[in-house]
């Protein structure tokens, strides 16, 4: 459960969810690019233009909250 602007939001952290994709983009050093994986492996994607504002907000929350980064060495 996450509180944002005084409103409780339930956020799915499952593989492929907007939150998960935001975290993974940040972790791997990719730029922010909201999307969802419907199938969990990136074959069936929903891109930003087809996402709801809540889904984009969840992606951004995942992207901004990820504080670990992939060590490419």
């Amino acid at each position: 459960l996450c509180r944002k602007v005084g409103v409780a939001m339930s956020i799915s952290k499952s593989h492929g969810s907007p939150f998960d994709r935001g975290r993974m983009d940040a972790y791997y050093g990719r730029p922010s690019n909201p999307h969802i994986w419907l199938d969990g492996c990136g074959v069936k994607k929903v891109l930003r233009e087809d996402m709801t504002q809540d889904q984009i907000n969840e992606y951004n929350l995942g992207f901004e909250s990820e504080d670990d980064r992939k060590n490419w060495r």
Side-chain angles (χ1 to χ4, degrees), residues 24-36:
M24 292 301 94
D25 283 349
Y27 177 79
Y28 287 108
R30 296 185 290 250
S32 175
N33 182 24
H35 63 283
I36 304 169

Side-chain angles (χ1 to χ4, degrees), residues 19-70:
F19 184 85
D20 172 67
R21 299 315 313 145
R23 285 187 59 233
M24 292 301 94
D25 283 349
Y27 177 79
Y28 287 108
R30 296 185 290 250
S32 175
N33 182 24
H35 63 283
I36 304 169
W37 285 359
L38 297 176
D39 58 355
C41 59
V43 175
K44 296 180 182 178
K45 296 180 188 178
V46 176
L47 302 179
R48 180 186 192 114
E49 57 267 16
D50 296 318
M51 292 171 67
T52 67
Q53 189 58 53
D54 284 345
Q55 291 169 326
I56 293 169
N57 292 345
E58 290 177 22
Y59 173 94
N60 289 334
L61 183 61
F63 190 87
E64 294 165 6
S65 67
E66 181 58 50
D67 58 1
D68 195 13
R69 297 293 181 270
K70 170 78 174 160

Side-chain angles (χ1 to χ4, degrees), residues 1-10:
L1 195 63
C2 174
R3 295 211 176 264
K4 188 172 181 178
V5 193
V7 177
M9 298 173 24
S10 178

